[in-house]
């Protein structure tokens, strides 16, 4: 099935993904031209290939679908995604993977600020670098960064795990470096495999919560 | 204080009153601000400062119990394929499972459904019990996105994007660790027993231009079927309402500073925002300025207690109201029946506001299974339904007396103010005069 968004607009595409598509459906999307809300709320295990750049919230709340963007993605890529796979062959703007619950999000290029904000179970693998305040208040899930991380990485993080191959410019409140042990190498290797990326795992460092701020204590007031 | 002391000459400081002294000393002991539930307790201008003008020679009234006075309202007529049809213009406001027990949420759902109005989820997501017992359920879309998922989104009868609430406009929330049961923790994807912070801003949009796109996303996911509300705490209400309309809201919810909360700093509850009374008038001004009054429906909340409050809010131009604290009280919150339990917690019936600590003896604002079991959802639902019926009957009584066949025909012209402040805020004349402070009336 092919959709030329210059002709149909996103409504027809999204309606098809909700009502008609089934597991095994293959959907090609042409002329996305930065349109917003492309392939949002998909709920079947279909494959969607988007040939060009997309605007805000592409693949938002995806469930089951395998979505590839052959271009760059605007803000809120795969926000609140539940399952399935979303891959962007270019770069992703702010808040990619925000609040997402499950599945795999791969950004082959760089991801901007607040990547994985309020993460709730999604796995994110970024081939390049990520912007500031990434994994802010991330609850659970994993974030792998093959490049560098900008300032305030993992600020106020809960139980999410972060792996960074390059340099972290600065850690946010209550985020600390943690040792890489056997289970972490195994986990990292599996995530890189799923993302189709290969790097020496010993080059990665792991970050997570110090768990000092899990319950409010006035003696920690200066940390806020 | 000894009985031998003659108290008649003792003069209490208005600045350092006994509650103020107590709070300073508590702060000095504990080193932390007071976090509590309930809403603002300070005295504020309210709908009590307005009066309705009944019919006489220049208007004729409708016969009570006989002549029809319609209370039905349709919400979300702007873009949604399936607007909400409610039988009474009183809805149940968003309150979370987590802040409230499952029994309380079910009771609210049962009560609302019995009278044909809507209830609302809260931070923490939609519970199956709530969905099952709610004929009309509004699903809140909050900054935390706890429990948010597309399946529940599609089960909703409307979606309410929460930008803020009256008790704490500009503030996030905190569900303290003692209320995080296994079920609450699972729904929110966080470990049991830790404080759960609810963010003050949405994670993936930052202003009205972004919000417009976000609303389109939610409409796409729900196939343009259900109304999208935007809820704001009352602060810069004129601009907030206009921006909400610009962003594409079907319904705007304005929550005045009397609006309740489950856990917020006392300093926030009492010192941020504006009262519901001016908020409703300003919101209506904003809609009229855009030519969107009645096109985009306005729901007002924050301290609504009686059919008189509802009538006055509608007369000022609201399409409906929401109740939260009053609905909890209807279910038994602060009832003298629990006086002994309240005393053991250092409080008393009529004063209890520690919704944050999970020890609510009524079983309403708790996650303790034993306490929750004290609240029978069927009985709670019956009480909520009874209360909603009384509000509706009171509203109809007042509307009929003003000669209205539909409660939404109430208008500012039916109101006068008892105080200069209320007159200025509501922009209705001071009773017995044609004077509205700060407003030159055109004749």
């Amino acid at each position: 099935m092919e959709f030329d968004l210059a002709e149909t607009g996103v409504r027809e595409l999204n309606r098809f993904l909700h009502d008609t598509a089934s597991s095994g459906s293959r959907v090609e999307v042409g002329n996305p031209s930065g349109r917003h809300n492309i392939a949002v709320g998909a709920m079947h295990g279909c494959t969607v290939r988007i040939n060009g750049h997309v605007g805000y919230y592409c693949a938002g709340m995806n469930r089951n679908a395998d979505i590839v963007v052959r271009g760059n993605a605007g803000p809120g890529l795969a926000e609140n995604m539940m399952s399935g796979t979303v891959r962007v062959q270019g770069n992703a703007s702010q808040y990619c993977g925000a609040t997402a619950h499950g599945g795999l999000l791969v950004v082959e290029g760089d991801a901007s600020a607040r990547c994985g904000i309020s993460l709730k179970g999604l796995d994110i693998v970024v081939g390049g670098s990520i912007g500031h305040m990434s994994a802010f208040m991330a609850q659970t899930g994993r974030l792998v960064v093959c490049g560098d991380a900008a300032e305030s990485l993992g600020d106020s993080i809960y139980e999410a795990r972060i792996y960074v191959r390059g340099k972290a410019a600065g850690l946010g409140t209550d985020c600390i470096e943690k040792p890489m042990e056997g289970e972490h190498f195994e986990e990292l290797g599996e995530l890189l495999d799923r993302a189709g990326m290969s790097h020496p795992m010993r080059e990665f460092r792991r970050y997570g919560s110090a768990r000092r701020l899990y319950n409010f204590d006035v003696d920690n007031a200066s940390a806020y | 204080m000894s009985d031998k002391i003659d108290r008649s000459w003792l003069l209490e400081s208005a600045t350092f009153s006994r509650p103020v002294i107590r709070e300073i000393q508590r702060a000095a002991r504990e080193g932390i601000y007071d976090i509590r539930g309930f809403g603002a307790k300070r005295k504020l201008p309210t709908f009590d400062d307005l009066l309705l003008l009944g019919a006489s020679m220049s208007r004729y009234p409708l016969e009570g119990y006989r002549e029809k006075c319609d209370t039905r309202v349709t919400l979300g007529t702007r873009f949604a394929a399936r607007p909400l049809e409610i039988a009474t213009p009183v809805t149940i406001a968003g309150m979370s499972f987590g802040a409230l027990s499952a029994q309380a949420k079910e009771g609210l759902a049962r009560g609302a459904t019995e009278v044909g109005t809507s209830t609302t989820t809260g931070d923490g997501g939609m519970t199956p019990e709530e969905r099952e017992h709610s004929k009309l359920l509004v699903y809140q879309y909050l900054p935390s996105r706890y429990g948010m998922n597309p399946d529940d989104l599609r089960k909703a009868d409307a979606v309410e994007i929460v930008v803020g609430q009256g008790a704490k406009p500009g503030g996030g929330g905190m569900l303290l660790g003692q209320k995080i049961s296994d079920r609450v923790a699972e729904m929110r994807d966080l470990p049991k027993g830790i404080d759960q912070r609810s963010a003050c801003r949405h994670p993936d949009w930052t202003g009205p231009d972004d919000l417009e796109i976000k609303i389109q996303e939610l409409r796409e996911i729900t196939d343009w079927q259900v109304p999208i509300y935007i809820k704001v705490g009352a602060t810069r209400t004129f601009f907030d309402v206009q921006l909400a309309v610009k962003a594409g809201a079907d319904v705007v919810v304005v929550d005045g500073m009397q609006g309740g909360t489950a856990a917020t700093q006392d300093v926030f509850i009492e010192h941020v925002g504006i009262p519901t009374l001016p908020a409703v008038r300003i919101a209506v001004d904003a809609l009229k300025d855009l030519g969107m009054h009645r096109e985009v429906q306005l729901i007002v909340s924050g301290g609504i207690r009686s059919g008189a409050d509802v009538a006055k809010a509608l007369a000022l131009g609201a399409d409906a109201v929401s109740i939260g604290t009053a609905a909890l009280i209807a279910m038994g919150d602060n009832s003298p029946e629990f006086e002994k339990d309240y005393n053991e917690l250092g409080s008393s019936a009529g004063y209890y506001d520690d919704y944050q600590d999970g020890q609510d003896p009524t079983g309403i604002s708790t996650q303790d299974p034993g306490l929750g079991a004290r609240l029978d959802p069927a009985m709670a639902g019956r009480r909520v339904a009874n209360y909603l019926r009384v509000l509706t009957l009171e509203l109809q009584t007042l509307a009929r007396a003003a000669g209205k066949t539909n409660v939404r025909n109430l208008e500012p012209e039916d109101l006068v103010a008892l105080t200069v402040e209320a007159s200025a805020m509501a922009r209705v004349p001071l009773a017995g005069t044609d004077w509205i402070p700060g407003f030159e009336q055109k004749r």
Side-chain angles (χ1 to χ4, degrees):
Chain A
M1 188 73 187
E2 290 184 15
F3 287 86
D4 180 347
L5 296 188
E7 298 287 325
T8 64
V10 297
R11 181 77 285 263
E12 204 165 309
L13 167 68
N14 289 330
R15 186 186 293 122
F16 177 83
L17 293 174
H18 301 167
D19 298 343
T20 312
S22 60
S23 183
S25 297
R26 298 182 63 81
V27 179
E28 287 282 331
V29 180
N31 287 312
S33 307
R35 284 179 174 79
H36 308 310
N37 303 317
I38 294 175
V40 297
M43 56 180 117
H44 306 289
C46 55
T47 62
V48 181
R49 300 292 178 260
I50 303 166
N51 298 305
H53 307 308
V54 297
Y56 280 61
Y57 306 128
C58 177
M61 296 206 191
N62 179 48
R63 189 187 276 290
N64 297 320
D66 169 23
I67 299 172
V68 174
V69 178
R70 294 171 175 145
N72 300 318
L77 170 75
E79 67 84 23
N80 215 86
M81 170 176 171
M82 304 302 292
S83 60
T85 306
V86 174
R87 176 181 290 270
V88 172
Q89 294 181 339
N91 303 314
S93 185
Q94 301 181 88
Y95 356 104
C96 74
T99 75
H101 293 252
L104 176 68
L105 169 62
V106 180
V107 179
E108 295 186 1
D110 298 325
S112 185
R114 300 181 177 84
C115 170
I117 184 171
S118 288
L119 201 62
K120 292 173 169 59
L122 172 71
D123 293 325
I124 304 176
V125 181
V126 179
S129 299
I130 59 171
H132 70 276
M133 293 294 280
S134 288
F136 176 58
M137 293 177 77
Q139 298 172 211
T140 180
R142 290 142 333 162
L143 170 62
V144 177
V145 184
C146 299
D148 300 327
E151 297 80 9
S152 300
L153 177 68
D155 194 291
S156 304
I157 190 170
Y158 293 98
E159 292 297 299
R161 290 176 173 181
I162 305 173
Y163 298 95
V164 180
R165 178 165 166 252
K167 194 191 241 180
L171 302 182
T173 301
D174 211 31
C175 183
I176 57 171
E177 184 174 349
K178 295 185 168 185
M180 288 285 285
E181 293 170 358
E183 65 167 304
H184 307 115
F185 285 111
E186 196 175 320
E187 178 174 82
L188 175 61
E190 183 249 344
L191 288 165
L192 287 170
D193 275 353
R194 285 169 62 203
M197 293 181 192
S198 176
H199 295 286
M201 284 191 284
R202 60 184 162 68
E203 293 178 3
F204 284 83
R205 292 178 164 196
R206 181 169 74 97
Y207 302 93
S209 177
R211 304 187 179 103
R212 286 188 296 256
L213 306 180
Y214 273 13
N215 293 94
F216 186 85
D217 184 334
V218 70
D219 292 335
N220 292 329
S222 61
Y224 299 104
Chain B
M1 189 181 289
S2 165
D3 286 342
K4 292 177 183 171
I5 293 175
D6 177 6
R7 301 180 190 189
S8 62
W9 60 270
L10 294 176
L11 180 62
E12 183 171 10
S13 167
T15 306
F16 291 96
S17 62
R18 278 169 289 179
V20 169
I21 289 170
R22 187 172 183 276
E23 171 54 20
I24 290 172
Q25 291 171 346
R26 186 209 59 78
R29 263 195 325 275
E30 299 176 11
I32 183 174
Y33 43 45
D34 183 25
I35 296 177
R36 67 171 176 85
F38 216 80
K41 292 186 169 182
R42 64 187 298 165
K43 189 162 173 52
L44 292 164
T46 70
F47 292 117
D48 282 346
D49 299 319
L50 302 180
L51 295 173
L52 282 150
L53 299 177
S56 55
M57 290 290 282
S58 60
R59 310 277 188 283
Y60 62 90
L62 300 183
E63 189 60 48
Y65 303 106
R66 291 289 180 272
E67 288 182 291
K68 184 79 179 166
C69 179
D70 197 352
T71 60
R72 289 172 298 177
V73 179
T74 305
L75 300 170
T77 54
R78 188 182 183 192
F79 293 119
R82 287 192 282 121
L84 242 66
E85 309 269 355
I86 54 176
T88 176
V90 187
T91 66
I92 303 293
M95 291 173 277
S96 76
F97 168 67
L100 300 188
S101 64
Q103 291 89 343
K105 288 296 285 177
E106 185 180 328
L108 293 169
R110 284 171 176 266
T113 298
E114 197 171 323
V115 301
T117 191
S118 62
T119 187
T120 310
T121 64
D123 214 350
M126 181 189 291
T127 65
E129 303 97 303
E130 187 174 30
R131 178 62 279 188
E132 182 189 345
H133 293 286
S134 302
K135 183 168 183 292
L136 298 171
L137 181 59
V138 182
Y139 188 30
Q140 283 197 327
Y141 189 79
L142 291 121
S144 74
R145 310 279 166 86
Y146 289 136
M148 171 53 57
N149 67 80
D151 309 312
D152 287 342
L153 195 66
R154 291 185 176 109
K155 288 178 196 161
D157 298 293
V159 178
E160 180 173 282
I161 298 173
V162 179
V163 177
Q165 69 182 89
K168 47 182 169 181
M174 182 86 92
L175 191 64
L176 297 177
Q178 57 265 37
K179 291 181 78 172
I180 311 300
S181 64
D182 288 330
R183 187 179 180 195
V184 172
E186 187 186 343
M187 283 181 70
R188 298 178 183 223
D189 303 289
L190 279 168
K192 185 179 178 183
I194 72 170
D195 297 341
Q196 295 191 351
R197 174 78 191 156
S198 296
C200 66
R201 297 191 306 271
H202 282 260
D204 57 356
W205 59 270
T206 51
D209 293 332
D210 284 3
L211 178 55
E212 185 173 353
I213 303 169
K214 171 56 70 179
I215 288 176
Q216 286 169 6
E217 184 202 11
L218 296 172
R219 291 200 193 280
E220 283 293 322
I221 293 171
T222 55
D223 291 309
W224 293 75
Q225 293 296 303
V226 300
I228 308 281
Y229 300 6
I230 294 179
K231 177 176 181 175
V232 293
T235 52
R236 296 174 180 86
T237 303
F238 188 87
F239 300 108
D240 289 343
V241 168
Q242 292 210 330
L243 289 171
V245 172
K246 185 260 176 196
D250 294 302
V251 175
V252 181
V253 182
V254 177
D255 191 23
M257 71 175 286
Q258 297 100 317
T261 174
T264 300
Q265 300 92 329
D266 177 81
V267 71
F268 213 143
I269 297 172
E270 299 289 359
H271 297 281
V272 182
I274 64 171
T276 307
L277 178 65
V280 58
R281 196 268 302 161
I282 296 167
V284 173
D285 282 355
L287 291 170
K288 286 183 172 171
D289 184 63
L290 293 173
M292 297 298 278
H293 187 223
R294 305 298 189 202
E295 299 293 317
V296 169
Q297 285 78 42
L298 174 66
I299 300 177
V300 170
S301 56
I304 302 291
R305 307 148 298 171
S306 66
D309 288 346
V310 183
K312 293 167 188 175
L314 264 53
L316 288 173
D319 293 277
V321 302
S322 270
I323 58 168
T325 303
L328 303 187
I329 291 170
M331 289 195 292
D333 174 58
N334 271 295
S335 166
E337 180 188 343
F338 296 96
E339 180 63 19
K340 189 163 170 281
D341 301 277
Y342 285 131
N343 292 165
E344 285 172 9
L345 296 170
S347 188
S348 182
Y351 298 86
Y352 183 70
D353 58 16
D354 288 325
Y355 298 164
Q356 80 290 345
D357 75 1
Q359 299 183 63
D360 184 348
T362 66
I364 294 171
S365 62
T366 182
Q367 292 301 315
D368 181 294
L371 293 173
R374 291 184 179 185
L375 188 71
D376 173 10
M379 176 60 76
R382 180 70 184 164
R383 287 175 177 170
V384 171
N386 281 343
Y387 175 57
L388 288 168
R389 286 193 187 98
V390 169
L391 292 183
T392 307
L393 288 167
E394 287 179 343
L395 166 64
Q396 285 177 304
T397 297
L398 297 172
R400 283 195 185 98
K404 312 296 184 185
T405 56
N406 187 313
V407 293
R408 286 205 304 171
N409 292 343
L410 287 161
E411 55 192 324
E413 190 271 337
D414 295 314
L415 296 169
V416 292
L418 279 171
T419 67
V420 172
E421 289 84 357
S423 173
M425 290 179 187
R427 201 174 294 152
V428 298
L430 191 65
T433 77
D434 58 1
W435 180 53
I436 302 174
F439 182 69
E440 195 174 332
Q441 235 173 342
K442 290 178 186 157
R443 290 177 181 278

